[in-house]
Amino acid sequence: MAGHIQDRWYKTETDANSKPRRVRTERHGTGLRYRARYIGPDGTEKSKSFPDGQKRLADQWLVHIEADMSRGQYMDPAASKVTFRQYAEKWLSTQTTDMTTRESVESAIRGHVIPYLGPRPLGSFKPEHIRDWLSALERAVPASSYRRVIYNNVSTVLNAAVDDGHLSKNPCHAQSVRPPAAGTGRVVPWSAERVFAVRAALPERFRATVGLGGGCGLRQGEIFGLPVDEIAFDSGWLHIMNQVKVTKEGLVFAPPKRSKVRDVPLPDRVAHALKQHMEAFPPVEITLPWLRVGGPPVTKRLLFTRLDGAGAVRRTDFNDRAWKPALVAAGGDPPAEAWEAPPGRPRTRHARS
């Protein structure tokens, strides 16, 4: 057996004739009587107490512990009591992925997982708890593709919890748990009329962004981080070297998404629109930290600035105050619309190091 049972109500003493006899301890009749004890794989003593009349249960508990150790399925009882919230908080603090990715994962877990699964001890997780949570998530998040992202985040956290010995297996992997379906909707390019209607509805300062998105395939952060010296009007190319990123602490300059530095063809009509934009709204020198708030300062002459012209554009503010109102004015439904450019991304010439 993996350990032994201690009877805390009785102890063995030697009498005057050197014979052992059982005598009551000071604890007799109070508290839990039996204490099952064993040495865990980490070399420390573990224990669990049982009341009077349940010595058989204490024996069975030790038998299960021994069987789990022999099968390599042992879990420290204390570790299994850690709640999902406690473990997820620690897991989030140790992530080393891209800053924006970390913030997106953290937002999803804090907003859609911890309020529901947070108080549950990891060792108590069963597939039914994941199914119940997914049902509640479906009511809160209509988009199946986003629910799948959140589900994958939870599964990743629970995979780590298995590796760290907090639970024996990931309940997300059970056959009875069906992950949300991946997005299968086909992207339909906008018509030219739609593009021009949205462009006309935007504030004049931002109308040229539509050409960069629809004609060159740039992302929002790349558009708002495009400096004058990365536009080669003579040769007809854009050099996409950085973007403006939104972090919890503030705006920063950073490489393009997944560090995909590249050259993009610049159509004549888009080039003409950019030149007109620069005449109406001269580029402004903007200084932001590189990669993170507190990082080395970098100064670039940006084409697009805030409506007051005093700083870099925060894409979340742009979406709320300019883009979505323009969609409504053009006859669209903001929640269903995406930023992605209607004609799609053009081919790139080569990656720049």
Side-chain angles (χ1 to χ4, degrees):
M1 184 174 290
H4 70 281
I5 307 297
Q6 175 190 6
D7 187 344
R8 292 189 285 186
W9 286 9
Y10 288 91
K11 61 181 179 179
T12 300
E13 292 184 348
T14 303
D15 62 15
N17 297 321
S18 299
K19 293 183 178 180
R21 65 187 183 91
R22 295 182 71 209
V23 298
R24 294 180 176 181
T25 66
E26 295 179 352
R27 301 181 52 138
H28 184 273
T30 61
L32 299 177
R33 178 174 179 178
Y34 299 107
R35 185 184 185 193
R37 308 166 68 179
Y38 67 95
I39 302 299
D42 60 356
T44 61
E45 182 181 281
K46 319 289 183 181
S47 66
K48 182 177 180 180
S49 297
F50 296 82
D52 183 32
Q54 294 191 5
K55 184 175 183 297
R56 178 174 293 181
L57 289 180
D59 288 330
Q60 292 175 348
W61 184 77
L62 283 179
V63 169
H64 286 308
I65 292 293
E66 184 177 32
D68 287 344
M69 286 184 178
S70 65
R71 292 193 298 262
Q73 298 177 352
Y74 169 80
M75 286 193 307
D76 186 338
S80 66
K81 294 179 182 178
V82 173
T83 66
F84 181 89
R85 176 193 297 272
Q86 292 170 326
Y87 187 79
E89 295 279 3
K90 182 178 179 181
W91 181 85
L92 286 168
S93 69
T94 60
Q95 295 307 292
T96 57
T97 54
D98 173 80
M99 182 186 303
T100 304
T101 301
R102 293 201 303 269
E103 292 179 354
S104 176
V105 171
E106 180 176 356
S107 175
I109 290 178
R110 292 190 187 280
H112 298 291
V113 186
I114 287 180
Y116 195 92
L117 299 176
R120 177 165 296 281
L122 289 173
S124 71
F125 266 86
K126 295 181 179 179
E128 64 179 298
H129 302 132
I130 302 300
R131 294 195 299 269
D132 291 344
W133 166 67
L134 285 175
S135 178
L137 186 65
E138 185 174 10
R139 295 190 292 271
V141 180
S144 175
S145 57
Y146 186 45
R147 292 200 307 274
R148 189 178 183 90
V149 170
I150 301 171
Y151 166 85
N152 288 338
N153 291 335
V154 170
S155 184
T156 300
V157 172
L158 294 179
N159 278 339
V162 172
D163 292 342
D164 292 339
H166 292 280
L167 71 165
S168 59
K169 55 186 178 180
N170 187 344
C172 291
H173 296 168
Q175 291 184 352
S176 61
V177 174
R178 299 186 63 181
T184 57
R186 183 176 180 178
V187 176
V188 179
W190 289 355
S191 66
E193 292 77 9
R194 174 70 171 153
V195 174
F196 292 131
V198 172
R199 184 183 188 279
L202 283 171
E204 186 179 358
R205 177 182 291 274
F206 295 133
R207 288 176 184 172
T209 63
V210 175
L212 290 171
C216 303
L218 271 62
R219 297 181 175 89
Q220 276 187 319
E222 295 169 348
I223 292 173
F224 298 138
L226 182 65
V228 176
D229 59 6
E230 291 178 10
I231 306 175
F233 287 107
D234 293 340
S235 59
W237 290 90
L238 296 175
H239 309 311
I240 310 305
M241 308 292 289
N242 63 273
Q243 63 171 313
V244 171
K245 293 184 69 171
V246 180
T247 73
K248 290 188 300 182
E249 292 77 18
L251 298 181
V252 300
F253 282 130
K257 186 175 182 180
R258 299 190 181 92
S259 297
K260 289 185 177 179
V261 174
R262 64 197 188 280
D263 287 351
V264 176
L266 177 61
D268 291 340
R269 293 187 64 179
V270 176
H272 179 68
L274 292 181
K275 290 178 180 179
Q276 288 185 321
H277 170 81
M278 292 167 62
E279 291 178 2
F281 305 97
V284 177
E285 286 193 350
I286 300 295
T287 301
L288 293 175
W290 183 253
L291 288 179
R292 59 181 178 80
V293 172
V298 175
T299 300
K300 295 180 180 293
R301 294 180 63 224
L302 300 183
L303 267 70
F304 300 100
T305 55
R306 297 188 320 225
L307 287 173
D308 60 8
V313 179
R314 180 185 291 267
R315 61 179 176 78
T316 49
D317 292 342
F318 169 81
N319 288 337
D320 291 339
R321 300 176 184 177
W323 184 248
K324 291 180 181 178
L327 295 177
V328 173
D333 180 11
E337 297 282 3
W339 166 259
E340 294 301 328
R345 296 185 183 279
R347 64 180 180 83
T348 57
R349 181 172 65 181
H350 58 81
R352 293 170 60 91
S353 57

